[in-house]
Amino acid sequence: MSQKDDTTAAYTCNEYRMEMILLALEKQMARPDLTASEKESIQTEIQRVKKEMDMV
């Protein structure tokens, strides 16, 4: 019988969701047709998501 490792936190649906949002935003940043204001807006949103995920 295996024991659960209590040192690792459970990976939640919300964490997965935030990762997918971050990936989508980063994919948008790679578009060559973005204007400077669109890039700035996306970058701001990326920073917000990273902060929410405690990545900053």
Side-chain angles (χ1 to χ4, degrees):
M1 181 185 245
S2 66
Q3 287 184 323
K4 182 178 177 186
D5 184 8
D6 290 334
T7 60
T8 59
Y11 184 66
T12 66
C13 291
N14 193 47
E15 289 169 331
Y16 176 79
R17 180 180 165 274
M18 295 306 293
E19 285 181 11
M20 293 303 106
I21 290 170
L22 183 59
L23 287 172
L25 290 167
E26 289 174 344
K27 186 175 180 181
Q28 286 181 24
M29 281 295 289
R31 289 185 19 220
D33 62 334
L34 287 178
T35 65
S37 64
E38 288 172 325
K39 283 183 181 182
E40 185 179 336
S41 176
I42 293 169
Q43 191 62 38
T44 300
E45 186 65 11
I46 287 173
Q47 290 305 312
R48 185 193 67 76
V49 171
K50 284 184 175 183
K51 185 176 180 183
E52 189 172 331
M53 295 173 71
D54 293 327
M55 291 178 67
V56 186

